[in-house]
Amino acid sequence: MKRHVLIYGLIGGILISVLKWTEYRFLVIEHSFEIYGGLIAATFAVLGIWLGLKLTGTRQRVIVKQVSVVKGVSVPASETFVPDERKREDLGITRREFEILELIAQGLSNREIAGKLYVSENTVKTHSSRVFDKLGAKRRTQAVQLGKEFGLLP
Amino acid sequence: MKRHVLIYGLIGGILISVLKWTEYRFLVIEHSFEIYGGLIAATFAVLGIWLGLKLTGTRQRVIVKQVSVVKGVSVPASETFVPDERKREDLGITRREFEILELIAQGLSNREIAGKLYVSENTVKTHSSRVFDKLGAKRRTQAVQLGKEFGLLP
DNA sequence: TCTGTCGTCATCCTTTCGGGTGATTTTGGC
DNA sequence: GCCAAAATCACCCGAAAGGATGACGACAGA
């Protein structure tokens, strides 16, 4: 972080020096303000973007997963996982819709899901659309991710 | 993060005020090149930083922390999830490809990933195609599922 | 019986994905 | 510096996914 600021300042200083130098050397003062201004603007805009990006660290969000303990032995959550029924109902997701969500999470295509549940592909699409809507997802991958965050999926 | 932007903005504002004041009070226009230059520089630096931050979006990484509950008290079970690097290399998946896989798992579209990584959508598609191939997946949802099974994703 | 919810299915249309191919540029290791 | 791997980008095309809307039967509960 400090390095960046330092470099930033240094470049600024150099730029100013260069400007001074050119000004006194060639007396190019007339109408050059706009040019120099544009130059400075462009340079600092680029530098600013760069700095902004450098300054942006990875924000981390910690999700807590509970692991049950049976007879003193901890069992991985994956084996114990129970979908949060309350959350499901809170979100207004029906059992059938949730079923589709689970199969989506397993990486199945709509067609495969339709075949598995003995319904038409259109039906699957309807259910998935609804569940996406209720989860606030725009894509199935996002639906899976949100489903996990809501405790609906392992 | 926000502090920086705030400070920069403040300095910009102060500079503008000072400039206005001097200009209208004493008509000190000559030799103000440095002032104007500095002002422009500051302004565009702020703009650049803001732009940079805007463009970067919320780069967040979800870390899964497992917790056991013993006698009603949560106890950390396993630490932060660490992707299995060996497995990744065994599968011949490059870092970049893996990076795309992670973003896919987070539910982003190819376009969003492209925007986030500052590459073209085509590039994202190439990477994803390759990673799907290496994982043996036909869909992105399946890739995520397989990624989990291989210990590459949480 | 009427109403609301759920599950089912369809059609039309747009967007996104994914496969295939080829090419150029960057990078890392020797 | 040279070479191979990695990363980048483009274009085409078909398949899959998703949005919007409408419809119809089953069933539960007021």
Side-chain angles (χ1 to χ4, degrees), chain A residues 106-110 112 140-141, chain B residues 101 104 128-147:
Chain A
Q106 282 168 33
L108 303 189
S109 69
N110 286 339
E112 288 169 339
R140 40 178 55 214
T141 43
Chain B
L101 178 62
I104 285 175
S128 63
S129 279
R130 294 214 177 116
V131 89
F132 292 168
D133 207 46
K134 289 167 184 174
L135 285 170
K138 290 177 182 175
R139 285 168 289 284
R140 40 179 56 212
T141 44
Q142 197 180 3
V144 171
Q145 173 66 15
L146 291 168

mmCIF file of all heavy atoms in Angstrom, chain A residues 106-110 112 140-141, chain B residues 101 104 128-147, chain C residues 17-20, chain D residues 14-17:
data_model
loop_
_atom_site.group_PDB
_atom_site.id
_atom_site.type_symbol
_atom_site.label_atom_id
_atom_site.label_comp_id
_atom_site.label_asym_id
_atom_site.label_seq_id
_atom_site.Cartn_x
_atom_site.Cartn_y
_atom_site.Cartn_z
ATOM 1 N N GLN A 106 -27.239 -30.659 -8.617
ATOM 2 C CA GLN A 106 -26.458 -31.854 -8.929
ATOM 3 C C GLN A 106 -25.912 -31.806 -10.343
ATOM 4 O O GLN A 106 -25.279 -32.759 -10.809
ATOM 5 C CB GLN A 106 -27.315 -33.100 -8.728
ATOM 6 C CG GLN A 106 -27.445 -33.472 -7.259
ATOM 7 C CD GLN A 106 -28.518 -34.510 -7.031
ATOM 8 O OE1 GLN A 106 -28.743 -35.377 -7.873
ATOM 9 N NE2 GLN A 106 -29.192 -34.415 -5.894
ATOM 10 N N GLY A 107 -26.187 -30.730 -11.012
ATOM 11 C CA GLY A 107 -25.618 -30.547 -12.337
ATOM 12 C C GLY A 107 -26.430 -31.127 -13.473
ATOM 13 O O GLY A 107 -25.920 -31.288 -14.588
ATOM 14 N N LEU A 108 -27.694 -31.420 -13.214
ATOM 15 C CA LEU A 108 -28.520 -31.983 -14.278
ATOM 16 C C LEU A 108 -29.099 -30.885 -15.170
ATOM 17 O O LEU A 108 -29.340 -29.778 -14.714
ATOM 18 C CB LEU A 108 -29.661 -32.805 -13.678
ATOM 19 C CG LEU A 108 -29.282 -33.956 -12.752
ATOM 20 C CD1 LEU A 108 -30.513 -34.786 -12.419
ATOM 21 C CD2 LEU A 108 -28.217 -34.835 -13.388
ATOM 22 N N SER A 109 -29.330 -31.242 -16.418
ATOM 23 C CA SER A 109 -29.972 -30.305 -17.336
ATOM 24 C C SER A 109 -31.478 -30.398 -17.150
ATOM 25 O O SER A 109 -31.977 -31.328 -16.524
ATOM 26 C CB SER A 109 -29.622 -30.649 -18.781
ATOM 27 O OG SER A 109 -30.231 -31.871 -19.152
ATOM 28 N N ASN A 110 -32.184 -29.445 -17.678
ATOM 29 C CA ASN A 110 -33.643 -29.467 -17.557
ATOM 30 C C ASN A 110 -34.210 -30.764 -18.127
ATOM 31 O O ASN A 110 -35.128 -31.344 -17.568
ATOM 32 C CB ASN A 110 -34.244 -28.266 -18.279
ATOM 33 C CG ASN A 110 -34.017 -26.974 -17.515
ATOM 34 O OD1 ASN A 110 -33.771 -26.992 -16.310
ATOM 35 N ND2 ASN A 110 -34.066 -25.859 -18.215
ATOM 36 N N GLU A 112 -32.777 -33.671 -18.391
ATOM 37 C CA GLU A 112 -32.486 -34.801 -17.507
ATOM 38 C C GLU A 112 -33.413 -34.799 -16.292
ATOM 39 O O GLU A 112 -33.885 -35.852 -15.851
ATOM 40 C CB GLU A 112 -31.026 -34.744 -17.057
ATOM 41 C CG GLU A 112 -30.046 -35.089 -18.176
ATOM 42 C CD GLU A 112 -28.602 -34.776 -17.800
ATOM 43 O OE1 GLU A 112 -28.372 -33.968 -16.883
ATOM 44 O OE2 GLU A 112 -27.704 -35.335 -18.445
ATOM 45 N N ARG A 140 -28.973 -20.607 -13.103
ATOM 46 C CA ARG A 140 -29.060 -21.776 -12.238
ATOM 47 C C ARG A 140 -27.851 -21.884 -11.317
ATOM 48 O O ARG A 140 -27.979 -22.305 -10.172
ATOM 49 C CB ARG A 140 -29.235 -23.048 -13.057
ATOM 50 C CG ARG A 140 -28.423 -23.125 -14.316
ATOM 51 C CD ARG A 140 -28.646 -24.434 -15.020
ATOM 52 N NE ARG A 140 -30.048 -24.660 -15.289
ATOM 53 C CZ ARG A 140 -30.639 -25.833 -15.275
ATOM 54 N NH1 ARG A 140 -29.923 -26.920 -15.031
ATOM 55 N NH2 ARG A 140 -31.910 -25.950 -15.525
ATOM 56 N N THR A 141 -26.702 -21.486 -11.823
ATOM 57 C CA THR A 141 -25.515 -21.540 -10.952
ATOM 58 C C THR A 141 -25.688 -20.606 -9.759
ATOM 59 O O THR A 141 -25.301 -20.932 -8.637
ATOM 60 C CB THR A 141 -24.249 -21.140 -11.719
ATOM 61 O OG1 THR A 141 -24.517 -20.007 -12.527
ATOM 62 C CG2 THR A 141 -23.784 -22.287 -12.605
ATOM 63 N N LEU B 101 -13.472 -21.117 -12.929
ATOM 64 C CA LEU B 101 -14.353 -22.106 -12.299
ATOM 65 C C LEU B 101 -14.934 -21.575 -10.990
ATOM 66 O O LEU B 101 -16.117 -21.740 -10.703
ATOM 67 C CB LEU B 101 -13.592 -23.405 -12.049
ATOM 68 C CG LEU B 101 -14.379 -24.508 -11.350
ATOM 69 C CD1 LEU B 101 -15.579 -24.940 -12.180
ATOM 70 C CD2 LEU B 101 -13.486 -25.712 -11.060
ATOM 71 N N ILE B 104 -17.589 -19.141 -11.743
ATOM 72 C CA ILE B 104 -18.779 -19.841 -12.226
ATOM 73 C C ILE B 104 -19.555 -20.390 -11.036
ATOM 74 O O ILE B 104 -20.774 -20.289 -10.965
ATOM 75 C CB ILE B 104 -18.383 -20.984 -13.180
ATOM 76 C CG1 ILE B 104 -17.960 -20.411 -14.533
ATOM 77 C CG2 ILE B 104 -19.542 -21.960 -13.364
ATOM 78 C CD1 ILE B 104 -17.439 -21.452 -15.505
ATOM 79 N N SER B 128 -13.522 -21.668 -19.804
ATOM 80 C CA SER B 128 -14.545 -22.522 -19.212
ATOM 81 C C SER B 128 -14.697 -23.821 -19.996
ATOM 82 O O SER B 128 -14.821 -24.897 -19.424
ATOM 83 C CB SER B 128 -15.874 -21.780 -19.124
ATOM 84 O OG SER B 128 -16.353 -21.447 -20.407
ATOM 85 N N SER B 129 -14.631 -23.710 -21.308
ATOM 86 C CA SER B 129 -14.715 -24.917 -22.124
ATOM 87 C C SER B 129 -13.618 -25.900 -21.745
ATOM 88 O O SER B 129 -13.855 -27.097 -21.592
ATOM 89 C CB SER B 129 -14.574 -24.569 -23.609
ATOM 90 O OG SER B 129 -15.788 -24.099 -24.125
ATOM 91 N N ARG B 130 -12.415 -25.371 -21.576
ATOM 92 C CA ARG B 130 -11.279 -26.223 -21.237
ATOM 93 C C ARG B 130 -11.455 -26.863 -19.871
ATOM 94 O O ARG B 130 -11.161 -28.040 -19.687
ATOM 95 C CB ARG B 130 -9.991 -25.393 -21.248
ATOM 96 C CG ARG B 130 -9.657 -24.909 -22.645
ATOM 97 C CD ARG B 130 -8.158 -24.857 -22.860
ATOM 98 N NE ARG B 130 -7.851 -24.469 -24.226
ATOM 99 C CZ ARG B 130 -7.221 -23.351 -24.556
ATOM 100 N NH1 ARG B 130 -6.820 -22.522 -23.609
ATOM 101 N NH2 ARG B 130 -6.977 -23.079 -25.823
ATOM 102 N N VAL B 131 -11.912 -26.067 -18.936
ATOM 103 C CA VAL B 131 -12.062 -26.600 -17.582
ATOM 104 C C VAL B 131 -13.188 -27.628 -17.534
ATOM 105 O O VAL B 131 -13.101 -28.634 -16.822
ATOM 106 C CB VAL B 131 -12.264 -25.460 -16.555
ATOM 107 C CG1 VAL B 131 -13.717 -25.101 -16.388
ATOM 108 C CG2 VAL B 131 -11.681 -25.850 -15.217
ATOM 109 N N PHE B 132 -14.225 -27.412 -18.326
ATOM 110 C CA PHE B 132 -15.301 -28.390 -18.389
ATOM 111 C C PHE B 132 -14.762 -29.696 -18.936
ATOM 112 O O PHE B 132 -15.070 -30.780 -18.446
ATOM 113 C CB PHE B 132 -16.437 -27.907 -19.286
ATOM 114 C CG PHE B 132 -17.186 -26.732 -18.736
ATOM 115 C CD1 PHE B 132 -18.078 -26.033 -19.531
ATOM 116 C CD2 PHE B 132 -17.015 -26.318 -17.430
ATOM 117 C CE1 PHE B 132 -18.763 -24.942 -19.027
ATOM 118 C CE2 PHE B 132 -17.689 -25.231 -16.920
ATOM 119 C CZ PHE B 132 -18.576 -24.540 -17.740
ATOM 120 N N ASP B 133 -13.955 -29.556 -19.966
ATOM 121 C CA ASP B 133 -13.367 -30.722 -20.607
ATOM 122 C C ASP B 133 -12.521 -31.510 -19.611
ATOM 123 O O ASP B 133 -12.623 -32.724 -19.502
ATOM 124 C CB ASP B 133 -12.506 -30.243 -21.778
ATOM 125 C CG ASP B 133 -12.401 -31.306 -22.851
ATOM 126 O OD1 ASP B 133 -13.437 -31.880 -23.196
ATOM 127 O OD2 ASP B 133 -11.276 -31.562 -23.317
ATOM 128 N N LYS B 134 -11.699 -30.793 -18.875
ATOM 129 C CA LYS B 134 -10.794 -31.443 -17.931
ATOM 130 C C LYS B 134 -11.542 -32.074 -16.759
ATOM 131 O O LYS B 134 -11.082 -33.052 -16.170
ATOM 132 C CB LYS B 134 -9.754 -30.435 -17.433
ATOM 133 C CG LYS B 134 -8.748 -30.071 -18.520
ATOM 134 C CD LYS B 134 -7.907 -28.866 -18.155
ATOM 135 C CE LYS B 134 -6.988 -28.502 -19.327
ATOM 136 N NZ LYS B 134 -6.242 -27.249 -19.075
ATOM 137 N N LEU B 135 -12.660 -31.488 -16.423
ATOM 138 C CA LEU B 135 -13.449 -32.038 -15.318
ATOM 139 C C LEU B 135 -14.395 -33.130 -15.805
ATOM 140 O O LEU B 135 -14.904 -33.922 -15.020
ATOM 141 C CB LEU B 135 -14.280 -30.929 -14.660
ATOM 142 C CG LEU B 135 -13.561 -29.933 -13.756
ATOM 143 C CD1 LEU B 135 -14.485 -28.781 -13.406
ATOM 144 C CD2 LEU B 135 -13.082 -30.626 -12.489
ATOM 145 N N GLY B 136 -14.623 -33.130 -17.103
ATOM 146 C CA GLY B 136 -15.578 -34.091 -17.645
ATOM 147 C C GLY B 136 -17.006 -33.622 -17.467
ATOM 148 O O GLY B 136 -17.914 -34.424 -17.311
ATOM 149 N N ALA B 137 -17.173 -32.314 -17.483
ATOM 150 C CA ALA B 137 -18.508 -31.752 -17.295
ATOM 151 C C ALA B 137 -19.086 -31.267 -18.613
ATOM 152 O O ALA B 137 -18.356 -30.909 -19.530
ATOM 153 C CB ALA B 137 -18.445 -30.596 -16.306
ATOM 154 N N LYS B 138 -20.397 -31.304 -18.686
ATOM 155 C CA LYS B 138 -21.066 -30.831 -19.889
ATOM 156 C C LYS B 138 -21.767 -29.492 -19.663
ATOM 157 O O LYS B 138 -22.129 -28.820 -20.602
ATOM 158 C CB LYS B 138 -22.094 -31.855 -20.358
ATOM 159 C CG LYS B 138 -21.451 -33.111 -20.917
ATOM 160 C CD LYS B 138 -22.488 -34.140 -21.313
ATOM 161 C CE LYS B 138 -21.812 -35.406 -21.825
ATOM 162 N NZ LYS B 138 -22.802 -36.472 -22.101
ATOM 163 N N ARG B 139 -21.966 -29.185 -18.395
ATOM 164 C CA ARG B 139 -22.643 -27.935 -18.051
ATOM 165 C C ARG B 139 -21.880 -27.285 -16.912
ATOM 166 O O ARG B 139 -21.152 -27.934 -16.188
ATOM 167 C CB ARG B 139 -24.067 -28.200 -17.587
ATOM 168 C CG ARG B 139 -25.037 -28.541 -18.671
ATOM 169 C CD ARG B 139 -26.320 -29.061 -18.073
ATOM 170 N NE ARG B 139 -26.135 -30.387 -17.501
ATOM 171 C CZ ARG B 139 -26.038 -31.496 -18.198
ATOM 172 N NH1 ARG B 139 -26.057 -31.443 -19.512
ATOM 173 N NH2 ARG B 139 -25.870 -32.661 -17.611
ATOM 174 N N ARG B 140 -22.118 -26.005 -16.744
ATOM 175 C CA ARG B 140 -21.409 -25.306 -15.672
ATOM 176 C C ARG B 140 -21.855 -25.788 -14.295
ATOM 177 O O ARG B 140 -21.049 -25.880 -13.375
ATOM 178 C CB ARG B 140 -21.558 -23.799 -15.784
ATOM 179 C CG ARG B 140 -22.924 -23.305 -16.177
ATOM 180 C CD ARG B 140 -22.941 -21.812 -16.224
ATOM 181 N NE ARG B 140 -21.920 -21.289 -17.113
ATOM 182 C CZ ARG B 140 -21.290 -20.143 -16.947
ATOM 183 N NH1 ARG B 140 -21.577 -19.381 -15.932
ATOM 184 N NH2 ARG B 140 -20.381 -19.751 -17.786
ATOM 185 N N THR B 141 -23.143 -26.106 -14.185
ATOM 186 C CA THR B 141 -23.607 -26.608 -12.886
ATOM 187 C C THR B 141 -22.921 -27.934 -12.550
ATOM 188 O O THR B 141 -22.552 -28.181 -11.406
ATOM 189 C CB THR B 141 -25.127 -26.827 -12.884
ATOM 190 O OG1 THR B 141 -25.507 -27.465 -14.091
ATOM 191 C CG2 THR B 141 -25.858 -25.521 -12.751
ATOM 192 N N GLN B 142 -22.751 -28.738 -13.579
ATOM 193 C CA GLN B 142 -22.079 -30.023 -13.370
ATOM 194 C C GLN B 142 -20.609 -29.799 -13.026
ATOM 195 O O GLN B 142 -20.044 -30.499 -12.190
ATOM 196 C CB GLN B 142 -22.208 -30.869 -14.634
ATOM 197 C CG GLN B 142 -21.927 -32.338 -14.393
ATOM 198 C CD GLN B 142 -22.054 -33.157 -15.670
ATOM 199 O OE1 GLN B 142 -22.292 -32.611 -16.753
ATOM 200 N NE2 GLN B 142 -21.877 -34.460 -15.553
ATOM 201 N N ALA B 143 -20.020 -28.823 -13.673
ATOM 202 C CA ALA B 143 -18.617 -28.504 -13.390
ATOM 203 C C ALA B 143 -18.442 -28.112 -11.931
ATOM 204 O O ALA B 143 -17.489 -28.521 -11.269
ATOM 205 C CB ALA B 143 -18.147 -27.379 -14.302
ATOM 206 N N VAL B 144 -19.389 -27.347 -11.432
ATOM 207 C CA VAL B 144 -19.323 -26.921 -10.032
ATOM 208 C C VAL B 144 -19.439 -28.131 -9.113
ATOM 209 O O VAL B 144 -18.665 -28.289 -8.167
ATOM 210 C CB VAL B 144 -20.451 -25.912 -9.715
ATOM 211 C CG1 VAL B 144 -20.518 -25.629 -8.228
ATOM 212 C CG2 VAL B 144 -20.231 -24.629 -10.480
ATOM 213 N N GLN B 145 -20.397 -28.983 -9.422
ATOM 214 C CA GLN B 145 -20.596 -30.191 -8.623
ATOM 215 C C GLN B 145 -19.344 -31.059 -8.611
ATOM 216 O O GLN B 145 -18.875 -31.503 -7.551
ATOM 217 C CB GLN B 145 -21.794 -30.970 -9.193
ATOM 218 C CG GLN B 145 -22.037 -32.330 -8.571
ATOM 219 C CD GLN B 145 -22.436 -32.218 -7.111
ATOM 220 O OE1 GLN B 145 -22.791 -31.145 -6.651
ATOM 221 N NE2 GLN B 145 -22.345 -33.320 -6.393
ATOM 222 N N LEU B 146 -18.780 -31.281 -9.783
ATOM 223 C CA LEU B 146 -17.567 -32.089 -9.880
ATOM 224 C C LEU B 146 -16.397 -31.408 -9.180
ATOM 225 O O LEU B 146 -15.585 -32.069 -8.526
ATOM 226 C CB LEU B 146 -17.235 -32.335 -11.354
ATOM 227 C CG LEU B 146 -18.209 -33.262 -12.085
ATOM 228 C CD1 LEU B 146 -17.979 -33.227 -13.585
ATOM 229 C CD2 LEU B 146 -18.072 -34.687 -11.560
ATOM 230 N N GLY B 147 -16.338 -30.102 -9.326
ATOM 231 C CA GLY B 147 -15.289 -29.348 -8.654
ATOM 232 C C GLY B 147 -15.337 -29.565 -7.149
ATOM 233 O O GLY B 147 -14.309 -29.710 -6.487
ATOM 234 P P DC C 17 -24.078 -17.465 -19.295
ATOM 235 O OP1 DC C 17 -24.101 -17.424 -17.836
ATOM 236 O OP2 DC C 17 -23.125 -16.642 -20.043
ATOM 237 O "O5'" DC C 17 -23.889 -18.987 -19.726
ATOM 238 C "C5'" DC C 17 -24.642 -19.430 -20.827
ATOM 239 C "C4'" DC C 17 -24.580 -20.920 -20.978
ATOM 240 O "O4'" DC C 17 -25.034 -21.195 -22.305
ATOM 241 C "C3'" DC C 17 -23.185 -21.520 -20.885
ATOM 242 O "O3'" DC C 17 -23.289 -22.874 -20.462
ATOM 243 C "C2'" DC C 17 -22.685 -21.375 -22.309
ATOM 244 C "C1'" DC C 17 -23.949 -21.564 -23.140
ATOM 245 N N1 DC C 17 -24.036 -20.746 -24.384
ATOM 246 C C2 DC C 17 -24.393 -21.368 -25.578
ATOM 247 O O2 DC C 17 -24.614 -22.571 -25.576
ATOM 248 N N3 DC C 17 -24.478 -20.623 -26.707
ATOM 249 C C4 DC C 17 -24.240 -19.313 -26.671
ATOM 250 N N4 DC C 17 -24.345 -18.619 -27.806
ATOM 251 C C5 DC C 17 -23.868 -18.652 -25.452
ATOM 252 C C6 DC C 17 -23.785 -19.405 -24.341
ATOM 253 P P DG C 18 -21.984 -23.684 -20.071
ATOM 254 O OP1 DG C 18 -22.394 -24.775 -19.166
ATOM 255 O OP2 DG C 18 -20.930 -22.734 -19.664
ATOM 256 O "O5'" DG C 18 -21.573 -24.334 -21.459
ATOM 257 C "C5'" DG C 18 -22.416 -25.311 -22.038
ATOM 258 C "C4'" DG C 18 -21.859 -25.763 -23.367
ATOM 259 O "O4'" DG C 18 -22.097 -24.732 -24.348
ATOM 260 C "C3'" DG C 18 -20.347 -26.026 -23.372
ATOM 261 O "O3'" DG C 18 -20.140 -27.347 -23.844
ATOM 262 C "C2'" DG C 18 -19.787 -24.946 -24.295
ATOM 263 C "C1'" DG C 18 -20.975 -24.627 -25.188
ATOM 264 N N9 DG C 18 -21.006 -23.283 -25.753
ATOM 265 C C8 DG C 18 -20.765 -22.100 -25.119
ATOM 266 N N7 DG C 18 -20.871 -21.050 -25.904
ATOM 267 C C5 DG C 18 -21.215 -21.586 -27.131
ATOM 268 C C6 DG C 18 -21.478 -20.945 -28.363
ATOM 269 O O6 DG C 18 -21.448 -19.737 -28.629
ATOM 270 N N1 DG C 18 -21.798 -21.862 -29.365
ATOM 271 C C2 DG C 18 -21.857 -23.227 -29.189
ATOM 272 N N2 DG C 18 -22.179 -23.956 -30.240
ATOM 273 N N3 DG C 18 -21.623 -23.837 -28.033
ATOM 274 C C4 DG C 18 -21.305 -22.965 -27.056
ATOM 275 P P DG C 19 -18.673 -27.874 -24.137
ATOM 276 O OP1 DG C 19 -18.638 -29.248 -23.602
ATOM 277 O OP2 DG C 19 -17.681 -26.872 -23.683
ATOM 278 O "O5'" DG C 19 -18.618 -27.959 -25.741
ATOM 279 C "C5'" DG C 19 -19.742 -28.470 -26.453
ATOM 280 C "C4'" DG C 19 -19.377 -28.596 -27.919
ATOM 281 O "O4'" DG C 19 -19.594 -27.330 -28.585
ATOM 282 C "C3'" DG C 19 -17.925 -28.965 -28.166
ATOM 283 O "O3'" DG C 19 -17.851 -29.894 -29.252
ATOM 284 C "C2'" DG C 19 -17.262 -27.636 -28.500
ATOM 285 C "C1'" DG C 19 -18.391 -26.868 -29.173
ATOM 286 N N9 DG C 19 -18.337 -25.423 -28.972
ATOM 287 C C8 DG C 19 -18.138 -24.773 -27.782
ATOM 288 N N7 DG C 19 -18.158 -23.474 -27.893
ATOM 289 C C5 DG C 19 -18.384 -23.247 -29.241
ATOM 290 C C6 DG C 19 -18.505 -22.034 -29.967
ATOM 291 O O6 DG C 19 -18.440 -20.877 -29.545
ATOM 292 N N1 DG C 19 -18.728 -22.254 -31.318
ATOM 293 C C2 DG C 19 -18.827 -23.500 -31.902
ATOM 294 N N2 DG C 19 -19.034 -23.523 -33.210
ATOM 295 N N3 DG C 19 -18.719 -24.640 -31.230
ATOM 296 C C4 DG C 19 -18.497 -24.445 -29.915
ATOM 297 P P DG C 20 -16.440 -30.507 -29.626
ATOM 298 O OP1 DG C 20 -16.709 -31.847 -30.194
ATOM 299 O OP2 DG C 20 -15.517 -30.357 -28.490
ATOM 300 O "O5'" DG C 20 -15.961 -29.544 -30.799
ATOM 301 C "C5'" DG C 20 -16.841 -29.300 -31.897
ATOM 302 C "C4'" DG C 20 -16.156 -28.394 -32.891
ATOM 303 O "O4'" DG C 20 -16.380 -27.010 -32.509
ATOM 304 C "C3'" DG C 20 -14.632 -28.583 -32.968
ATOM 305 O "O3'" DG C 20 -14.276 -28.906 -34.301
ATOM 306 C "C2'" DG C 20 -14.055 -27.240 -32.531
ATOM 307 C "C1'" DG C 20 -15.211 -26.275 -32.748
ATOM 308 N N9 DG C 20 -15.202 -25.147 -31.819
ATOM 309 C C8 DG C 20 -15.095 -25.206 -30.447
ATOM 310 N N7 DG C 20 -15.108 -24.034 -29.875
ATOM 311 C C5 DG C 20 -15.229 -23.142 -30.925
ATOM 312 C C6 DG C 20 -15.302 -21.722 -30.922
ATOM 313 O O6 DG C 20 -15.266 -20.948 -29.955
ATOM 314 N N1 DG C 20 -15.420 -21.205 -32.216
ATOM 315 C C2 DG C 20 -15.467 -21.969 -33.365
ATOM 316 N N2 DG C 20 -15.578 -21.302 -34.497
ATOM 317 N N3 DG C 20 -15.400 -23.287 -33.374
ATOM 318 C C4 DG C 20 -15.290 -23.811 -32.134
ATOM 319 P P DG D 14 -26.557 -24.353 -37.395
ATOM 320 O OP1 DG D 14 -26.663 -25.100 -38.659
ATOM 321 O OP2 DG D 14 -27.287 -23.080 -37.197
ATOM 322 O "O5'" DG D 14 -26.920 -25.336 -36.212
ATOM 323 C "C5'" DG D 14 -26.022 -26.384 -35.859
ATOM 324 C "C4'" DG D 14 -26.130 -26.661 -34.376
ATOM 325 O "O4'" DG D 14 -25.624 -25.528 -33.636
ATOM 326 C "C3'" DG D 14 -27.562 -26.892 -33.896
ATOM 327 O "O3'" DG D 14 -27.563 -28.034 -33.063
ATOM 328 C "C2'" DG D 14 -27.902 -25.617 -33.134
ATOM 329 C "C1'" DG D 14 -26.542 -25.204 -32.609
ATOM 330 N N9 DG D 14 -26.387 -23.778 -32.307
ATOM 331 C C8 DG D 14 -26.653 -22.711 -33.119
ATOM 332 N N7 DG D 14 -26.401 -21.556 -32.556
ATOM 333 C C5 DG D 14 -25.941 -21.891 -31.294
ATOM 334 C C6 DG D 14 -25.518 -21.064 -30.225
ATOM 335 O O6 DG D 14 -25.447 -19.834 -30.174
ATOM 336 N N1 DG D 14 -25.135 -21.812 -29.122
ATOM 337 C C2 DG D 14 -25.163 -23.181 -29.055
ATOM 338 N N2 DG D 14 -24.768 -23.724 -27.902
ATOM 339 N N3 DG D 14 -25.551 -23.966 -30.037
ATOM 340 C C4 DG D 14 -25.929 -23.251 -31.121
ATOM 341 P P DA D 15 -28.941 -28.609 -32.538
ATOM 342 O OP1 DA D 15 -28.945 -30.050 -32.855
ATOM 343 O OP2 DA D 15 -30.054 -27.730 -32.963
ATOM 344 O "O5'" DA D 15 -28.758 -28.446 -30.958
ATOM 345 C "C5'" DA D 15 -27.512 -28.810 -30.378
ATOM 346 C "C4'" DA D 15 -27.478 -28.313 -28.951
ATOM 347 O "O4'" DA D 15 -27.321 -26.874 -28.939
ATOM 348 C "C3'" DA D 15 -28.744 -28.619 -28.152
ATOM 349 O "O3'" DA D 15 -28.355 -29.130 -26.891
ATOM 350 C "C2'" DA D 15 -29.445 -27.261 -28.042
ATOM 351 C "C1'" DA D 15 -28.272 -26.296 -28.072
ATOM 352 N N9 DA D 15 -28.573 -24.967 -28.613
ATOM 353 C C8 DA D 15 -29.152 -24.662 -29.812
ATOM 354 N N7 DA D 15 -29.265 -23.376 -30.038
ATOM 355 C C5 DA D 15 -28.729 -22.793 -28.900
ATOM 356 C C6 DA D 15 -28.547 -21.453 -28.519
ATOM 357 N N6 DA D 15 -28.909 -20.413 -29.270
ATOM 358 N N1 DA D 15 -27.979 -21.209 -27.325
ATOM 359 C C2 DA D 15 -27.603 -22.265 -26.569
ATOM 360 N N3 DA D 15 -27.714 -23.563 -26.821
ATOM 361 C C4 DA D 15 -28.295 -23.760 -28.018
ATOM 362 P P DA D 16 -29.489 -29.729 -25.907
ATOM 363 O OP1 DA D 16 -28.931 -30.959 -25.323
ATOM 364 O OP2 DA D 16 -30.813 -29.732 -26.570
ATOM 365 O "O5'" DA D 16 -29.507 -28.614 -24.768
ATOM 366 C "C5'" DA D 16 -28.278 -28.179 -24.217
ATOM 367 C "C4'" DA D 16 -28.515 -26.944 -23.374
ATOM 368 O "O4'" DA D 16 -28.786 -25.829 -24.236
ATOM 369 C "C3'" DA D 16 -29.709 -27.062 -22.418
ATOM 370 O "O3'" DA D 16 -29.217 -26.871 -21.097
ATOM 371 C "C2'" DA D 16 -30.678 -25.964 -22.889
ATOM 372 C "C1'" DA D 16 -29.767 -25.010 -23.644
ATOM 373 N N9 DA D 16 -30.397 -24.272 -24.726
ATOM 374 C C8 DA D 16 -31.055 -24.773 -25.813
ATOM 375 N N7 DA D 16 -31.501 -23.861 -26.637
ATOM 376 C C5 DA D 16 -31.101 -22.666 -26.053
ATOM 377 C C6 DA D 16 -31.257 -21.318 -26.441
ATOM 378 N N6 DA D 16 -31.883 -20.940 -27.553
ATOM 379 N N1 DA D 16 -30.745 -20.366 -25.638
ATOM 380 C C2 DA D 16 -30.110 -20.756 -24.525
ATOM 381 N N3 DA D 16 -29.895 -21.986 -24.053
ATOM 382 C C4 DA D 16 -30.422 -22.903 -24.879
ATOM 383 P P DA D 17 -30.207 -26.905 -19.861
ATOM 384 O OP1 DA D 17 -29.424 -27.336 -18.686
ATOM 385 O OP2 DA D 17 -31.459 -27.600 -20.203
ATOM 386 O "O5'" DA D 17 -30.498 -25.346 -19.706
ATOM 387 C "C5'" DA D 17 -29.386 -24.462 -19.676
ATOM 388 C "C4'" DA D 17 -29.853 -23.023 -19.576
ATOM 389 O "O4'" DA D 17 -30.424 -22.601 -20.833
ATOM 390 C "C3'" DA D 17 -30.923 -22.758 -18.515
ATOM 391 O "O3'" DA D 17 -30.509 -21.638 -17.777
ATOM 392 C "C2'" DA D 17 -32.184 -22.489 -19.329
ATOM 393 C "C1'" DA D 17 -31.602 -21.857 -20.577
ATOM 394 N N9 DA D 17 -32.415 -21.950 -21.781
ATOM 395 C C8 DA D 17 -32.936 -23.069 -22.361
ATOM 396 N N7 DA D 17 -33.595 -22.837 -23.475
ATOM 397 C C5 DA D 17 -33.491 -21.468 -23.641
ATOM 398 C C6 DA D 17 -33.975 -20.595 -24.631
ATOM 399 N N6 DA D 17 -34.680 -21.000 -25.693
ATOM 400 N N1 DA D 17 -33.702 -19.283 -24.497
ATOM 401 C C2 DA D 17 -32.991 -18.881 -23.438
ATOM 402 N N3 DA D 17 -32.484 -19.604 -22.441
ATOM 403 C C4 DA D 17 -32.772 -20.906 -22.610
#
